[in-house]
mmCIF file of all heavy atoms in Angstrom:
data_model
loop_
_atom_site.group_PDB
_atom_site.id
_atom_site.type_symbol
_atom_site.label_atom_id
_atom_site.label_comp_id
_atom_site.label_asym_id
_atom_site.label_seq_id
_atom_site.Cartn_x
_atom_site.Cartn_y
_atom_site.Cartn_z
ATOM 1 N N GLY L 18 13.891 107.730 -43.621
ATOM 2 C CA GLY L 18 14.725 108.910 -43.408
ATOM 3 C C GLY L 18 15.831 108.680 -42.405
ATOM 4 O O GLY L 18 16.802 109.448 -42.348
ATOM 5 N N ASP L 19 15.724 107.631 -41.603
ATOM 6 C CA ASP L 19 16.767 107.258 -40.652
ATOM 7 C C ASP L 19 17.797 106.381 -41.365
ATOM 8 O O ASP L 19 17.440 105.352 -41.949
ATOM 9 C CB ASP L 19 16.137 106.486 -39.489
ATOM 10 C CG ASP L 19 17.121 106.211 -38.366
ATOM 11 O OD1 ASP L 19 18.349 106.234 -38.618
ATOM 12 O OD2 ASP L 19 16.666 105.955 -37.232
ATOM 13 N N PRO L 20 19.075 106.750 -41.357
ATOM 14 C CA PRO L 20 20.092 105.939 -42.048
ATOM 15 C C PRO L 20 20.159 104.502 -41.545
ATOM 16 O O PRO L 20 20.642 103.620 -42.258
ATOM 17 C CB PRO L 20 21.408 106.694 -41.755
ATOM 18 C CG PRO L 20 20.984 108.079 -41.395
ATOM 19 C CD PRO L 20 19.648 107.960 -40.740
ATOM 20 N N ARG L 21 19.673 104.263 -40.315
ATOM 21 C CA ARG L 21 19.708 102.902 -39.769
ATOM 22 C C ARG L 21 18.518 102.065 -40.197
ATOM 23 O O ARG L 21 18.435 100.890 -39.854
ATOM 24 C CB ARG L 21 19.755 102.975 -38.239
ATOM 25 C CG ARG L 21 20.980 103.689 -37.680
ATOM 26 C CD ARG L 21 20.803 103.998 -36.203
ATOM 27 N NE ARG L 21 19.680 104.917 -35.989
ATOM 28 C CZ ARG L 21 19.256 105.297 -34.790
ATOM 29 N NH1 ARG L 21 19.845 104.845 -33.708
ATOM 30 N NH2 ARG L 21 18.251 106.140 -34.676
ATOM 31 N N PHE L 22 17.593 102.655 -40.957
ATOM 32 C CA PHE L 22 16.379 101.925 -41.341
ATOM 33 C C PHE L 22 16.702 100.746 -42.237
ATOM 34 O O PHE L 22 17.510 100.836 -43.153
ATOM 35 C CB PHE L 22 15.417 102.860 -42.064
ATOM 36 C CG PHE L 22 14.272 102.145 -42.742
ATOM 37 C CD1 PHE L 22 13.201 101.682 -42.005
ATOM 38 C CD2 PHE L 22 14.300 101.918 -44.121
ATOM 39 C CE1 PHE L 22 12.150 101.020 -42.626
ATOM 40 C CE2 PHE L 22 13.253 101.264 -44.742
ATOM 41 C CZ PHE L 22 12.178 100.815 -43.992
ATOM 42 N N ARG L 23 16.059 99.624 -41.955
ATOM 43 C CA ARG L 23 16.089 98.448 -42.810
ATOM 44 C C ARG L 23 14.666 97.885 -42.850
ATOM 45 O O ARG L 23 13.964 97.906 -41.834
ATOM 46 C CB ARG L 23 17.052 97.374 -42.286
ATOM 47 C CG ARG L 23 18.516 97.807 -42.234
ATOM 48 C CD ARG L 23 19.093 98.038 -43.633
ATOM 49 N NE ARG L 23 20.497 98.396 -43.576
ATOM 50 C CZ ARG L 23 20.953 99.632 -43.454
ATOM 51 N NH1 ARG L 23 20.097 100.646 -43.352
ATOM 52 N NH2 ARG L 23 22.247 99.878 -43.420
ATOM 53 N N PRO L 24 14.210 97.354 -43.983
ATOM 54 C CA PRO L 24 12.878 96.738 -44.053
ATOM 55 C C PRO L 24 12.866 95.399 -43.323
ATOM 56 O O PRO L 24 12.888 94.327 -43.933
ATOM 57 C CB PRO L 24 12.652 96.581 -45.565
ATOM 58 C CG PRO L 24 14.012 96.512 -46.159
ATOM 59 C CD PRO L 24 14.899 97.365 -45.293
ATOM 60 N N ALA L 25 12.839 95.470 -41.987
ATOM 61 C CA ALA L 25 13.019 94.269 -41.172
ATOM 62 C C ALA L 25 11.722 93.706 -40.611
ATOM 63 O O ALA L 25 11.707 92.573 -40.141
ATOM 64 C CB ALA L 25 13.969 94.582 -40.012
ATOM 65 N N THR L 26 10.620 94.472 -40.638
ATOM 66 C CA THR L 26 9.371 93.932 -40.105
ATOM 67 C C THR L 26 8.840 92.846 -41.032
ATOM 68 O O THR L 26 9.169 92.793 -42.229
ATOM 69 C CB THR L 26 8.307 95.040 -39.969
ATOM 70 O OG1 THR L 26 7.985 95.542 -41.282
ATOM 71 C CG2 THR L 26 8.828 96.184 -39.108
ATOM 72 N N ALA L 27 7.990 91.988 -40.485
ATOM 73 C CA ALA L 27 7.454 90.882 -41.276
ATOM 74 C C ALA L 27 6.664 91.401 -42.477
ATOM 75 O O ALA L 27 6.748 90.853 -43.583
ATOM 76 C CB ALA L 27 6.571 89.996 -40.396
ATOM 77 N N ALA L 28 5.898 92.469 -42.266
ATOM 78 C CA ALA L 28 5.085 93.021 -43.361
ATOM 79 C C ALA L 28 5.978 93.577 -44.476
ATOM 80 O O ALA L 28 5.737 93.310 -45.662
ATOM 81 C CB ALA L 28 4.161 94.109 -42.829
ATOM 82 N N LEU L 29 6.994 94.354 -44.108
ATOM 83 C CA LEU L 29 7.870 94.931 -45.130
ATOM 84 C C LEU L 29 8.665 93.853 -45.861
ATOM 85 O O LEU L 29 8.876 93.940 -47.077
ATOM 86 C CB LEU L 29 8.814 95.950 -44.496
ATOM 87 C CG LEU L 29 8.218 97.331 -44.214
ATOM 88 C CD1 LEU L 29 9.215 98.211 -43.485
ATOM 89 C CD2 LEU L 29 7.782 97.999 -45.513
ATOM 90 N N ARG L 30 9.117 92.840 -45.136
ATOM 91 C CA ARG L 30 9.840 91.752 -45.804
ATOM 92 C C ARG L 30 8.935 91.022 -46.791
ATOM 93 O O ARG L 30 9.391 90.578 -47.851
ATOM 94 C CB ARG L 30 10.385 90.770 -44.773
ATOM 95 C CG ARG L 30 11.554 91.291 -43.957
ATOM 96 C CD ARG L 30 12.356 90.145 -43.365
ATOM 97 N NE ARG L 30 11.493 89.243 -42.597
ATOM 98 C CZ ARG L 30 11.238 89.355 -41.302
ATOM 99 N NH1 ARG L 30 11.771 90.365 -40.621
ATOM 100 N NH2 ARG L 30 10.464 88.492 -40.679
ATOM 101 N N ALA L 31 7.657 90.901 -46.454
ATOM 102 C CA ALA L 31 6.732 90.178 -47.331
ATOM 103 C C ALA L 31 6.427 90.958 -48.605
ATOM 104 O O ALA L 31 6.302 90.369 -49.689
ATOM 105 C CB ALA L 31 5.444 89.867 -46.579
ATOM 106 N N ILE L 32 6.295 92.296 -48.495
ATOM 107 C CA ILE L 32 5.887 93.072 -49.672
ATOM 108 C C ILE L 32 7.058 93.643 -50.455
ATOM 109 O O ILE L 32 6.863 94.105 -51.584
ATOM 110 C CB ILE L 32 4.932 94.221 -49.264
ATOM 111 C CG1 ILE L 32 5.681 95.270 -48.413
ATOM 112 C CG2 ILE L 32 3.729 93.687 -48.530
ATOM 113 C CD1 ILE L 32 4.835 96.505 -48.101
ATOM 114 N N LEU L 33 8.262 93.601 -49.907
ATOM 115 C CA LEU L 33 9.407 94.212 -50.591
ATOM 116 C C LEU L 33 9.617 93.650 -52.002
ATOM 117 O O LEU L 33 9.849 94.424 -52.932
ATOM 118 C CB LEU L 33 10.677 94.045 -49.748
ATOM 119 C CG LEU L 33 11.918 94.772 -50.265
ATOM 120 C CD1 LEU L 33 11.688 96.278 -50.316
ATOM 121 C CD2 LEU L 33 13.136 94.460 -49.385
ATOM 122 N N PRO L 34 9.547 92.328 -52.217
ATOM 123 C CA PRO L 34 9.728 91.829 -53.597
ATOM 124 C C PRO L 34 8.629 92.266 -54.556
ATOM 125 O O PRO L 34 8.802 92.161 -55.778
ATOM 126 C CB PRO L 34 9.714 90.297 -53.411
ATOM 127 C CG PRO L 34 10.002 90.063 -51.971
ATOM 128 C CD PRO L 34 9.414 91.230 -51.258
ATOM 129 N N LEU L 35 7.512 92.753 -54.038
ATOM 130 C CA LEU L 35 6.385 93.151 -54.885
ATOM 131 C C LEU L 35 6.431 94.629 -55.243
ATOM 132 O O LEU L 35 5.643 95.083 -56.072
ATOM 133 C CB LEU L 35 5.063 92.852 -54.171
ATOM 134 C CG LEU L 35 4.900 91.429 -53.631
ATOM 135 C CD1 LEU L 35 3.618 91.313 -52.818
ATOM 136 C CD2 LEU L 35 4.877 90.429 -54.779
ATOM 137 N N LEU L 36 7.342 95.393 -54.615
ATOM 138 C CA LEU L 36 7.424 96.833 -54.833
ATOM 139 C C LEU L 36 8.457 97.177 -55.894
ATOM 140 O O LEU L 36 9.507 96.525 -55.995
ATOM 141 C CB LEU L 36 7.794 97.544 -53.530
ATOM 142 C CG LEU L 36 6.797 97.462 -52.371
ATOM 143 C CD1 LEU L 36 7.431 98.041 -51.106
ATOM 144 C CD2 LEU L 36 5.509 98.200 -52.706
ATOM 145 N N ASP L 37 8.172 98.213 -56.652
ATOM 146 C CA ASP L 37 9.185 98.754 -57.569
ATOM 147 C C ASP L 37 10.129 99.704 -56.842
ATOM 148 O O ASP L 37 11.301 99.820 -57.209
ATOM 149 C CB ASP L 37 8.501 99.487 -58.725
ATOM 150 C CG ASP L 37 7.722 98.543 -59.626
ATOM 151 O OD1 ASP L 37 8.329 97.615 -60.173
ATOM 152 O OD2 ASP L 37 6.497 98.725 -59.754
ATOM 153 N N ASP L 38 9.609 100.403 -55.816
ATOM 154 C CA ASP L 38 10.430 101.357 -55.075
ATOM 155 C C ASP L 38 10.053 101.320 -53.599
ATOM 156 O O ASP L 38 8.876 101.189 -53.254
ATOM 157 C CB ASP L 38 10.213 102.791 -55.590
ATOM 158 C CG ASP L 38 10.364 102.911 -57.090
ATOM 159 O OD1 ASP L 38 11.506 102.915 -57.565
ATOM 160 O OD2 ASP L 38 9.331 102.998 -57.775
ATOM 161 N N LEU L 39 11.057 101.436 -52.743
ATOM 162 C CA LEU L 39 10.863 101.687 -51.315
ATOM 163 C C LEU L 39 11.779 102.856 -50.988
ATOM 164 O O LEU L 39 13.001 102.715 -50.939
ATOM 165 C CB LEU L 39 11.225 100.461 -50.484
ATOM 166 C CG LEU L 39 11.165 100.642 -48.959
ATOM 167 C CD1 LEU L 39 9.775 101.064 -48.513
ATOM 168 C CD2 LEU L 39 11.587 99.366 -48.247
ATOM 169 N N VAL L 40 11.186 104.050 -50.777
ATOM 170 C CA VAL L 40 11.985 105.271 -50.731
ATOM 171 C C VAL L 40 11.681 106.058 -49.464
ATOM 172 O O VAL L 40 10.748 105.768 -48.720
ATOM 173 C CB VAL L 40 11.718 106.154 -51.976
ATOM 174 C CG1 VAL L 40 12.108 105.425 -53.243
ATOM 175 C CG2 VAL L 40 10.247 106.572 -52.036
ATOM 176 N N ASP L 41 12.495 107.076 -49.266
ATOM 177 C CA ASP L 41 12.374 107.959 -48.105
ATOM 178 C C ASP L 41 11.200 108.914 -48.302
ATOM 179 O O ASP L 41 11.162 109.691 -49.253
ATOM 180 C CB ASP L 41 13.692 108.740 -47.955
ATOM 181 C CG ASP L 41 13.663 109.725 -46.789
ATOM 182 O OD1 ASP L 41 12.687 109.698 -46.006
ATOM 183 O OD2 ASP L 41 14.624 110.510 -46.667
ATOM 184 N N GLY L 42 10.248 108.862 -47.373
ATOM 185 C CA GLY L 42 9.109 109.769 -47.423
ATOM 186 C C GLY L 42 9.052 110.686 -46.229
ATOM 187 O O GLY L 42 7.970 111.112 -45.819
ATOM 188 N N SER L 43 10.219 111.010 -45.664
ATOM 189 C CA SER L 43 10.250 111.798 -44.432
ATOM 190 C C SER L 43 10.124 113.287 -44.663
ATOM 191 O O SER L 43 9.933 114.042 -43.711
ATOM 192 C CB SER L 43 11.548 111.514 -43.664
ATOM 193 O OG SER L 43 12.680 111.856 -44.453
ATOM 194 N N SER L 44 10.236 113.754 -45.911
ATOM 195 C CA SER L 44 10.137 115.191 -46.174
ATOM 196 C C SER L 44 9.480 115.427 -47.519
ATOM 197 O O SER L 44 9.510 114.563 -48.408
ATOM 198 C CB SER L 44 11.526 115.842 -46.163
ATOM 199 O OG SER L 44 12.278 115.430 -47.287
ATOM 200 N N VAL L 45 8.894 116.615 -47.671
ATOM 201 C CA VAL L 45 8.268 116.991 -48.937
ATOM 202 C C VAL L 45 9.304 117.045 -50.052
ATOM 203 O O VAL L 45 9.040 116.630 -51.185
ATOM 204 C CB VAL L 45 7.546 118.344 -48.789
ATOM 205 C CG1 VAL L 45 7.091 118.870 -50.140
ATOM 206 C CG2 VAL L 45 6.349 118.205 -47.859
ATOM 207 N N LYS L 46 10.504 117.536 -49.733
ATOM 208 C CA LYS L 46 11.561 117.637 -50.753
ATOM 209 C C LYS L 46 11.901 116.261 -51.316
ATOM 210 O O LYS L 46 12.008 116.076 -52.542
ATOM 211 C CB LYS L 46 12.806 118.265 -50.115
ATOM 212 C CG LYS L 46 14.025 118.358 -51.035
ATOM 213 C CD LYS L 46 13.785 119.337 -52.178
ATOM 214 C CE LYS L 46 15.072 119.702 -52.900
ATOM 215 N NZ LYS L 46 15.786 118.552 -53.462
ATOM 216 N N ASN L 47 12.082 115.275 -50.451
ATOM 217 C CA ASN L 47 12.397 113.935 -50.933
ATOM 218 C C ASN L 47 11.269 113.366 -51.784
ATOM 219 O O ASN L 47 11.498 112.711 -52.808
ATOM 220 C CB ASN L 47 12.664 112.999 -49.752
ATOM 221 C CG ASN L 47 13.951 113.328 -49.037
ATOM 222 O OD1 ASN L 47 14.852 113.935 -49.612
ATOM 223 N ND2 ASN L 47 14.047 112.958 -47.773
ATOM 224 N N LEU L 48 10.045 113.605 -51.365
ATOM 225 C CA LEU L 48 8.901 113.066 -52.095
ATOM 226 C C LEU L 48 8.731 113.725 -53.456
ATOM 227 O O LEU L 48 8.475 113.043 -54.456
ATOM 228 C CB LEU L 48 7.624 113.237 -51.272
ATOM 229 C CG LEU L 48 7.448 112.253 -50.119
ATOM 230 C CD1 LEU L 48 6.256 112.657 -49.258
ATOM 231 C CD2 LEU L 48 7.251 110.838 -50.646
ATOM 232 N N THR L 49 8.868 115.045 -53.507
ATOM 233 C CA THR L 49 8.708 115.715 -54.800
ATOM 234 C C THR L 49 9.814 115.295 -55.767
ATOM 235 O O THR L 49 9.545 115.056 -56.945
ATOM 236 C CB THR L 49 8.711 117.242 -54.628
ATOM 237 O OG1 THR L 49 9.893 117.646 -53.909
ATOM 238 C CG2 THR L 49 7.486 117.704 -53.864
ATOM 239 N N ASP L 50 11.043 115.177 -55.270
ATOM 240 C CA ASP L 50 12.139 114.719 -56.133
ATOM 241 C C ASP L 50 11.861 113.317 -56.655
ATOM 242 O O ASP L 50 12.099 113.011 -57.832
ATOM 243 C CB ASP L 50 13.462 114.731 -55.367
ATOM 244 C CG ASP L 50 13.963 116.133 -55.096
ATOM 245 O OD1 ASP L 50 13.431 117.091 -55.703
ATOM 246 O OD2 ASP L 50 14.877 116.293 -54.252
ATOM 247 N N PHE L 51 11.330 112.449 -55.792
ATOM 248 C CA PHE L 51 11.060 111.080 -56.230
ATOM 249 C C PHE L 51 9.933 111.044 -57.260
ATOM 250 O O PHE L 51 10.052 110.377 -58.301
ATOM 251 C CB PHE L 51 10.699 110.207 -55.030
ATOM 252 C CG PHE L 51 10.158 108.859 -55.426
ATOM 253 C CD1 PHE L 51 10.981 107.913 -56.017
ATOM 254 C CD2 PHE L 51 8.817 108.554 -55.239
ATOM 255 C CE1 PHE L 51 10.484 106.682 -56.413
ATOM 256 C CE2 PHE L 51 8.314 107.337 -55.626
ATOM 257 C CZ PHE L 51 9.139 106.391 -56.211
ATOM 258 N N ILE L 52 8.829 111.741 -57.010
ATOM 259 C CA ILE L 52 7.700 111.702 -57.942
ATOM 260 C C ILE L 52 8.089 112.275 -59.297
ATOM 261 O O ILE L 52 7.679 111.769 -60.352
ATOM 262 C CB ILE L 52 6.496 112.446 -57.333
ATOM 263 C CG1 ILE L 52 5.968 111.675 -56.119
ATOM 264 C CG2 ILE L 52 5.386 112.612 -58.360
ATOM 265 C CD1 ILE L 52 4.875 112.389 -55.358
ATOM 266 N N LEU L 53 8.916 113.315 -59.290
ATOM 267 C CA LEU L 53 9.362 113.888 -60.557
ATOM 268 C C LEU L 53 10.327 112.971 -61.295
ATOM 269 O O LEU L 53 10.611 113.187 -62.477
ATOM 270 C CB LEU L 53 10.022 115.251 -60.314
ATOM 271 C CG LEU L 53 9.093 116.372 -59.844
ATOM 272 C CD1 LEU L 53 9.881 117.637 -59.548
ATOM 273 C CD2 LEU L 53 8.005 116.652 -60.873
ATOM 274 N N SER L 54 10.855 111.941 -60.625
ATOM 275 C CA SER L 54 11.778 110.999 -61.269
ATOM 276 C C SER L 54 11.101 109.693 -61.668
ATOM 277 O O SER L 54 11.786 108.755 -62.102
ATOM 278 C CB SER L 54 12.944 110.688 -60.320
ATOM 279 O OG SER L 54 12.509 109.876 -59.236
ATOM 280 N N LEU L 55 9.786 109.600 -61.551
ATOM 281 C CA LEU L 55 9.096 108.341 -61.819
ATOM 282 C C LEU L 55 9.248 107.874 -63.261
ATOM 283 O O LEU L 55 9.138 106.677 -63.541
ATOM 284 C CB LEU L 55 7.601 108.483 -61.483
ATOM 285 C CG LEU L 55 7.237 108.460 -59.998
ATOM 286 C CD1 LEU L 55 5.768 108.802 -59.807
ATOM 287 C CD2 LEU L 55 7.559 107.103 -59.397
ATOM 288 N N ALA L 56 9.483 108.798 -64.186
ATOM 289 C CA ALA L 56 9.633 108.407 -65.591
ATOM 290 C C ALA L 56 10.980 107.759 -65.864
ATOM 291 O O ALA L 56 11.144 107.096 -66.902
ATOM 292 C CB ALA L 56 9.443 109.622 -66.497
ATOM 293 N N ARG L 57 11.924 107.929 -64.948
ATOM 294 C CA ARG L 57 13.255 107.360 -65.154
ATOM 295 C C ARG L 57 13.320 105.956 -64.568
ATOM 296 O O ARG L 57 12.869 105.720 -63.437
ATOM 297 C CB ARG L 57 14.323 108.246 -64.516
ATOM 298 C CG ARG L 57 14.382 109.637 -65.118
ATOM 299 C CD ARG L 57 15.654 110.360 -64.724
ATOM 300 N NE ARG L 57 15.683 110.704 -63.314
ATOM 301 C CZ ARG L 57 15.244 111.851 -62.809
ATOM 302 N NH1 ARG L 57 14.711 112.757 -63.602
ATOM 303 N NH2 ARG L 57 15.331 112.097 -61.517
ATOM 304 N N PRO L 58 13.898 104.986 -65.286
ATOM 305 C CA PRO L 58 13.980 103.614 -64.763
ATOM 306 C C PRO L 58 14.903 103.538 -63.555
ATOM 307 O O PRO L 58 15.847 104.327 -63.418
ATOM 308 C CB PRO L 58 14.521 102.808 -65.945
ATOM 309 C CG PRO L 58 15.226 103.812 -66.809
ATOM 310 C CD PRO L 58 14.484 105.104 -66.631
ATOM 311 N N ALA L 59 14.634 102.597 -62.679
ATOM 312 C CA ALA L 59 15.445 102.413 -61.475
ATOM 313 C C ALA L 59 15.421 100.940 -61.104
ATOM 314 O O ALA L 59 14.489 100.217 -61.457
ATOM 315 C CB ALA L 59 14.908 103.261 -60.321
ATOM 316 N N PRO L 60 16.452 100.457 -60.391
ATOM 317 C CA PRO L 60 16.447 99.056 -59.945
ATOM 318 C C PRO L 60 15.271 98.783 -59.021
ATOM 319 O O PRO L 60 14.754 99.682 -58.356
ATOM 320 C CB PRO L 60 17.783 98.920 -59.194
ATOM 321 C CG PRO L 60 18.626 100.059 -59.671
ATOM 322 C CD PRO L 60 17.687 101.162 -60.011
ATOM 323 N N ALA L 61 14.836 97.539 -58.976
ATOM 324 C CA ALA L 61 13.722 97.158 -58.111
ATOM 325 C C ALA L 61 14.096 97.366 -56.651
ATOM 326 O O ALA L 61 15.267 97.283 -56.261
ATOM 327 C CB ALA L 61 13.335 95.703 -58.357
ATOM 328 N N ALA L 62 13.081 97.626 -55.829
ATOM 329 C CA ALA L 62 13.317 97.899 -54.412
ATOM 330 C C ALA L 62 14.035 96.745 -53.734
ATOM 331 O O ALA L 62 14.929 96.951 -52.900
ATOM 332 C CB ALA L 62 11.983 98.164 -53.712
ATOM 333 N N ASP L 63 13.670 95.526 -54.074
ATOM 334 C CA ASP L 63 14.290 94.352 -53.447
ATOM 335 C C ASP L 63 15.786 94.323 -53.699
ATOM 336 O O ASP L 63 16.585 94.057 -52.793
ATOM 337 C CB ASP L 63 13.617 93.088 -53.999
ATOM 338 C CG ASP L 63 13.944 91.866 -53.161
ATOM 339 O OD1 ASP L 63 14.303 92.037 -51.977
ATOM 340 O OD2 ASP L 63 13.848 90.735 -53.680
ATOM 341 N N ALA L 64 16.203 94.615 -54.939
ATOM 342 C CA ALA L 64 17.617 94.600 -55.274
ATOM 343 C C ALA L 64 18.392 95.688 -54.522
ATOM 344 O O ALA L 64 19.506 95.451 -54.023
ATOM 345 C CB ALA L 64 17.797 94.776 -56.778
#
């Protein structure tokens, strides 16, 4: 949710290529919008 966020920790860098999505989970609104969009294709999180 912070615009300055980057997956910079060792753990996030290691799992990022294995994820389909890395998204903002800071609010219920963002989460509900994302879950309702799961049927739509999206670029991989790493890209």
Side-chain angles (χ1 to χ4, degrees):
D19 187 339
R21 299 167 297 176
F22 168 77
R23 297 293 182 272
T26 64
L29 281 175
R30 288 202 306 269
I32 67 174
L33 187 61
L35 308 174
L36 296 171
D37 293 302
D38 309 283
L39 175 59
V40 298
D41 178 8
S43 60
S44 70
V45 170
K46 176 67 166 58
N47 290 337
L48 283 171
T49 54
D50 289 347
F51 169 69
I52 293 174
L53 292 176
S54 71
L55 284 172
R57 298 195 291 269
D63 194 22

